[in-house]
């Protein structure tokens, strides 16, 4: 998922990637339904569709970033959604036995092995002395907040409300990214982005109308 994510951003704009990632809750719902982990109702499919519409508006409202990347960028973006969706559904049975902290720790330890292997050439070729202090701070922030804290929080959410409903909250990322761009980069929110954020929130509210899904006995 991380490798596909990196290449997707290389092949297309952040706006295009955000738009395609809006399909993530749909993939989660399809996989969860197919393997029988969650029984979803019409309300959730409506919520997923509404949420995707909000992501589309946020992406369209992004200033300075055109939609590009063509077929390769779109396919890589779909790869992000599909791999993360399979991961979100697959981790649900583990959370019935282990805490989000345990699952997150093992995922990071095991995942570090292949990520290190595919990154060896870049690691050896990197001029570490050229990295600025601000870049190191950004790396530490990404590691602690964006990876550790985010994973533990997300796993806890999956454990409490199920993968399908938890996935809808991830569609807030493009809108929250726009808000941080306003606070940190002095960018301006467009009307489309504001409306898109409100629509994403509506999708989440709609999803709250169904009960927490339960694992089937053979997965418990």
């Amino acid at each position: 998922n991380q490798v596909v994510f990196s290449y997707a951003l290389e092949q297309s704009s952040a706006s295009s990637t955000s738009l395609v990632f809006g399909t993530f809750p749909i993939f989660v719902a399809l996989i969860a339904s197919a393997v029988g982990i969650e029984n979803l109702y019409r309300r959730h499919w409506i919520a997923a569709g509404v949420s995707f519409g909000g992501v589309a508006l946020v992406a369209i409202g992004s200033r300075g970033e055109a939609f590009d990347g063509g077929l390769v960028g779109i396919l890589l973006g779909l790869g992000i959604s599909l791999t993360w969706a399979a991961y979100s559904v697959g981790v649900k049975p583990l959370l019935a036995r282990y805490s989000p902290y345990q699952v997150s720790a093992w995922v990071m330890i095991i995942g570090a092995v292949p990520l290190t292997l595919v990154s060896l050439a870049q690691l050896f070729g990197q001029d570490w002395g050229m990295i600025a202090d601000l870049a190191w701070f950004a790396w530490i922030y990404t590691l602690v907040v964006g990876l550790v804290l985010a994973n533990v929080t997300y796993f806890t959410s999956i454990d409490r409300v199920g993968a399908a409903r938890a996935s809808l909250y991830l569609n807030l990322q493009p809108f929250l990214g726009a808000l941080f761009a306003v606070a940190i980069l002095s960018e301006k929110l467009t009307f489309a982005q504001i409306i898109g954020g409100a629509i994403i929130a509506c999708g989440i509210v709609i999803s709250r109308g169904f009960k927490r899904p339960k694992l089937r006995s053979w997965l418990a």
Side-chain angles (χ1 to χ4, degrees):
N1 176 267
Q2 292 298 311
V3 171
V4 173
F5 176 75
S6 298
Y7 280 108
L9 288 178
E10 183 180 65
Q11 293 291 325
S12 61
S13 67
S15 296
S16 299
T17 303
S18 296
L19 176 58
V20 177
F21 189 74
T23 61
F24 170 66
I26 299 174
F27 277 118
V28 171
L30 289 173
I31 296 173
S33 297
V35 301
I37 285 185
E38 297 182 20
N39 295 318
L40 303 176
Y41 301 96
R42 182 182 300 176
R43 180 185 292 271
H44 178 80
W45 297 105
I46 293 174
V50 170
S51 178
F52 177 74
V55 173
L57 278 178
V58 172
I60 291 171
S62 298
R63 291 179 174 178
E65 285 198 277
F67 291 91
D68 54 22
L71 181 61
V72 174
I74 292 174
L75 291 177
L76 288 171
L78 288 174
I80 299 172
S81 296
L82 182 58
T83 53
W84 191 255
Y87 172 49
S88 300
V89 176
V91 79
K92 176 62 178 173
L94 292 176
L95 292 170
R97 300 187 181 96
Y98 308 103
S99 73
Y101 300 97
Q102 290 173 300
V103 174
S104 183
W106 278 108
V107 165
M108 291 181 191
I109 292 171
I110 297 172
V113 176
L115 277 176
T116 301
L117 292 176
V118 300
S119 305
L120 284 176
Q122 288 82 4
L123 289 173
F124 284 116
Q126 174 67 46
D127 185 354
W128 299 100
M130 293 295 294
I131 301 178
D133 292 340
L134 183 60
W136 282 113
F137 174 79
W139 176 75
I140 294 172
Y141 175 86
T142 301
L143 177 65
V144 176
V145 180
L147 185 60
V148 177
L149 181 60
N151 271 346
V152 170
T153 304
Y154 183 53
F155 288 154
T156 303
S157 178
I158 291 177
D159 184 41
R160 294 187 178 183
V161 302
R165 185 172 159 192
S167 67
L168 290 171
Y169 288 83
L170 266 68
N171 270 357
L172 283 170
Q173 287 186 98
F175 179 67
L176 293 176
L179 290 182
F180 276 104
V182 172
I184 299 174
L185 303 177
S186 299
E187 295 185 5
K188 293 183 179 180
L189 279 177
T190 65
F191 180 73
Q193 287 177 313
I194 296 173
I195 297 300
I199 292 176
I200 295 171
C202 287
I204 293 173
V205 172
I206 292 173
S207 73
R208 294 175 64 86
F210 60 87
K211 296 180 180 180
R212 175 184 176 182
K214 295 182 179 180
L215 288 172
R216 285 188 175 180
S217 58
W218 60 276
L219 288 171

